[in-house]
Structure formats: structure tokens, C-alpha cells
Amino acid sequence: MANTNAPFGFRQYSGLGSAPTYEQVPVAIAYNATNIFYGDPVTPVNDGTVIQGNPSGPSTVQIAGIFVGCKYLSVSQKRTVWSNYWPGSDVASGNVVEGYIVNDPGARFLAQVGGSASTGAVVADVNANVQYAIGTGNTANGISGAYVDISVSPTTTDTYPFRLLGLVTNPPGAPGTAAGAYNYVIVAFNNVSTKQLTSVG
């Protein structure tokens, strides 16, 4: 049975964290930043905030981590709102939104491969570095549409944000386990603010 194209961002698969935070660390989001969905990679900005990642081809932009939620003082609801995604508005001008990301350099994530209707990740891609695409997030449930972008060939390029650690093949017949397009993979950080594999000067 063929895999279905239904990306869900980068879902934490394993790591070193424990309850109640599970490796989540707080970050600032500018009040007028674009929306950020649960599972989106985010990139750091030079003012100390983070924004939704938006790579274009073989980008060398380092990511800050994976977004897992936020809290903010809602203008419309007049109360503090805890949300799994940042809607991109609904706070007063100048306010800073408190977001939460996972940036543990040892964390691993489950993600779907996208960018091609005919090609998925293969065993030969394991231990290669891969790029992502941001996709289209779901405003109804806040879930990311990001995926591993197979249209940008897995490579040794050390500035790519993720390293592909393995293919998901079990249990057989489960979503994303069939070989070919839109299969699932396990990835780890390769170029994140807490882990940089590029050479130093």
C-alpha cells in the first residue's frame, strides 16, 4: 500500500529530556512574526527572537530548534493563551510571545519525506545530511506541514540542518513504512544553534 502525502513536521522520537518539560526551552517570538506550527523548524534572528524556518534549496541557514508551542496574552480573548502553534497575531503591538522549542543536540525526530511524488529516502541515504521544506501548516489543529525535502539530494554538505539516521519500516503496513515516495525517516540535528558541524576558522 502506497504512502500518503500527509506531512506533520518534525515529531520528537527520542531524547534525553524528562517530565514535565521534555527538553523544551523558552524562546522569544516577535509579536508580528509569521505563524509557526507545532513541529516546524525555526531559525534564529539577530534580535534574539526566532521565526518559522523557510529554506530555499541548499540553504546554509542554521536552525534554532523545533517549535513545540507557545503562550501569549491574547488581545481577542483577554487572557493568557497556551497553544501548540503561534497564529502570527492576536497580541498587542510590541509584546513578545514566549515560545518553546526542542534544541537538544541529541534529540531525534520522526518526519515524512516529501518533495517528490515518485522518490523517497532509501538505505543509501542513511547518514547523509538532508534539507527540509516548511510545507503548509494546519490552522485547525496547529500541526506543521514541514517535511524532509528529497528534491534537495541527501549529501555530505555539513551546513544542512538534519542528518538522516534511518528509515521507518516497522510495523509493516503502517503509514510511512512502504518503500518509495512519502516514506518516514528518523533524523537528528546536524546544524542547530546547539550543535554546529561546520569547520571553524
Side-chain angles (χ1 to χ4, degrees):
M1 183 174 171
N3 299 313
T4 301
N5 182 20
F8 46 81
F10 292 80
R11 184 179 300 163
Q12 192 165 15
Y13 183 78
S14 66
L16 303 176
S18 58
T21 61
Y22 297 102
E23 300 179 292
Q24 297 175 25
V25 296
V27 292
I29 304 169
Y31 83 96
N32 59 350
T34 187
N35 50 11
I36 309 174
F37 294 87
Y38 185 94
D40 275 350
V42 292
T43 54
V45 182
N46 57 12
D47 63 1
T49 62
V50 299
I51 59 173
Q52 183 188 57
N54 186 22
S56 177
S59 172
T60 60
V61 176
Q62 187 179 69
I63 60 175
I66 301 298
F67 184 79
V68 291
C70 63
K71 73 171 181 179
Y72 57 93
L73 182 59
S74 166
V75 171
S76 63
Q77 300 183 52
K78 298 181 174 50
R79 64 180 180 87
T80 298
V81 171
W82 295 80
S83 176
N84 68 336
Y85 91 109
W86 163 236
S89 60
D90 197 26
V91 296
S93 176
N95 280 13
V96 174
V97 177
E98 183 172 295
Y100 305 100
I101 63 171
V102 174
N103 64 0
D104 171 21
R108 297 182 178 191
F109 301 90
L110 174 70
Q112 184 168 46
V113 173
S116 171
S118 59
T119 304
V122 296
V123 171
D125 297 327
V126 173
N127 290 322
N129 298 331
V130 292
Q131 186 55 276
Y132 72 95
I134 206 66
T136 302
N138 186 328
T139 56
N141 60 22
I143 301 299
S144 170
Y147 54 87
V148 171
D149 189 359
I150 202 69
S151 72
V152 181
S153 299
T155 179
T156 58
T157 301
D158 54 8
T159 52
Y160 277 24
F162 296 100
R163 175 160 294 183
L164 198 157
L165 300 182
L167 311 181
V168 177
T169 57
N170 286 305
T177 58
Y182 311 126
N183 58 338
Y184 289 2
V185 292
I186 304 300
V187 298
F189 288 130
N190 182 65
N191 188 12
V192 66
S193 295
T194 51
K195 179 182 181 181
Q196 169 63 274
L197 294 188
T198 54
S199 61
V200 290

